[in-house]
Amino acid sequence: MNQKHRDTIDLYCQDIVPRINAIKLWPKLLENKVFNRDDVNIPRWEENLMDKATIRDIYLTIKTRGPLAFDRFLTSLKQSDHENLANILEGKITLRSEDIERNVNQGDDVNVNDVDDTNLTSTIEWVQDGFYNNMQLSEVPLRIQVQRATKFLDGPVYENVHRYPMRSKPRGLVLIITNIRFEHPDYEPRCSAAHDRMNLEELFEQMGFQVISHCNLTGEGLLEKIKQFSQLKELRKVDSCFIIISSHGNVNTEYEVTEIHGVDYNPDSKKHNYKTVLCTDILNNFTVEACPHLAEKPKIFIFQLCRGDKKQKLVKKPRHTTDTCNIRPSDEMMNLKINGKGTMRNNADMLIVHATLPGHVAFRDKITGSWFIQILCEVFMNHAHKTHLEDLLHMVDERLRIQRTTKEECQTLMVTSIGFNKHCYLNPGLFEDT
């Protein structure tokens, strides 16, 4: 069984196990060969099929039963009147907890086959809004359900602001690097980042991107994967790319830029031959010279990591303000000339997104995942079908301000544009042959 399916089983264990009727499900598990009849656990299980501990043991043991076990488990659930549970595991229903299910269906589980598309859509939107509004209190991670586009939004809309073409299939390539467990004893594992990883993978796959994901890389390994990705021939055939890195980080005092920590990072790095990884090193692999396949295509870099140890504090609104006037462009700006047709800028079409400000920490919920990635996934899955990328990020920061501000601490998103001068609509799930 692949890691994604194992993670899904673990993620919904607490929600699904109490709802399983083992008397109905067990014969189907044997019939569909999830378990062989000579399995040494069967006699012990069959003696206590009504026991919740037994059901949990059966459920979690499915992870060890081969590459077909997950699909066979879903089939068994559907054949034993547990289709609502199969829908949750498949991502067809975005329910988050028993309380939300009770509010939606007054005590009954939601079955996707029992409602029409209109009702299902409104139910999903209600649940998603419920998750967003209660994000600080939720103990269950976000479940991805992308709202697909119904028409392409990639033509010019303003006279002087164009749009990046976004119609390729796949829409683009996505590289996700997630560091969770670190070798140095002072670095606590980022366990909840596993939810970020799963949600990002599911988000971009549902939107129509091809996802490449790596976990727990050293500094040298991280740079190597970045370089390999930037040289993929498949980049020539797609309209965009995303590079998303989630790890510990800090400010590099020598270069005064953000440093990404590989799992082998050691504070006394000079004595351990550690390979330093700077955010600027990542960007340098995607200039036009270094990565010609992505020339004039949008390249989005997302960094979920601390950039120092400062915690941003809330301040009271000041009573004073300022009056400003429109600034006239300088003569130098007025005299700029456009490059000739035979050349292009080496650094362009890049959008760099940091979860926090320079010198500050990026907060992560130990149960549900990082503040920033949770909100980014929620905004993208609900609004990318009608909103261009930079406005999506504006929405993310606004939610970060409202929903993830504590009594004393807060976090501010930072977005930097390097020649990213067009609107970028992701057109999730929409392709010309559909």
Side-chain angles (χ1 to χ4, degrees), residues 9 51 55 92 107 126 170 218 260 268 282 285 289 355 359 369 389 429:
I9 288 175
D51 185 68
I55 297 172
K92 294 180 179 178
W126 188 94
T218 64
I260 306 165
D268 194 11
I282 309 300
N285 282 276
E289 287 182 335
L389 183 58

Side-chain angles (χ1 to χ4, degrees), residues 22-23 26 30 35-62 64-65:
I23 302 300
W26 180 247
L30 295 177
F35 298 104
N36 295 325
R37 295 183 182 274
D38 58 354
D39 193 303
V40 295
N41 295 300
I42 288 180
R44 174 171 57 86
W45 288 340
E46 289 184 337
E47 287 182 2
N48 301 284
L49 275 181
M50 300 295 291
D51 185 68
K52 292 298 182 185
T54 298
I55 297 172
R56 187 177 187 276
D57 192 21
I58 293 172
Y59 175 84
L60 293 176
T61 304
I62 291 171
T64 68
R65 290 303 181 264

Side-chain angles (χ1 to χ4, degrees), residues 241-288:
C241 86
F242 282 76
I243 296 90
I244 306 172
I245 300 178
S246 174
S247 184
H248 283 307
N250 209 328
V251 61
N252 183 285
T253 55
E254 181 179 358
Y255 298 99
E256 296 185 351
V257 295
T258 303
E259 179 178 344
I260 306 165
H261 292 171
V263 296
D264 59 336
Y265 176 81
N266 190 301
D268 194 11
S269 57
K270 292 182 179 180
K271 292 185 178 180
H272 293 80
N273 297 319
Y274 171 76
K275 184 69 173 179
T276 301
V277 184
L278 307 178
C279 286
T280 50
D281 295 332
I282 309 300
L283 305 183
N284 290 339
N285 282 276
F286 294 91
T287 63
V288 171

Side-chain angles (χ1 to χ4, degrees), residues 393-405:
L393 295 172
H394 294 157
M395 295 169 67
V396 171
D397 188 57
E398 178 64 7
R399 279 162 162 73
L400 197 59
R401 180 184 70 85
I402 295 174
Q403 290 297 324
R404 278 307 192 180
T405 294

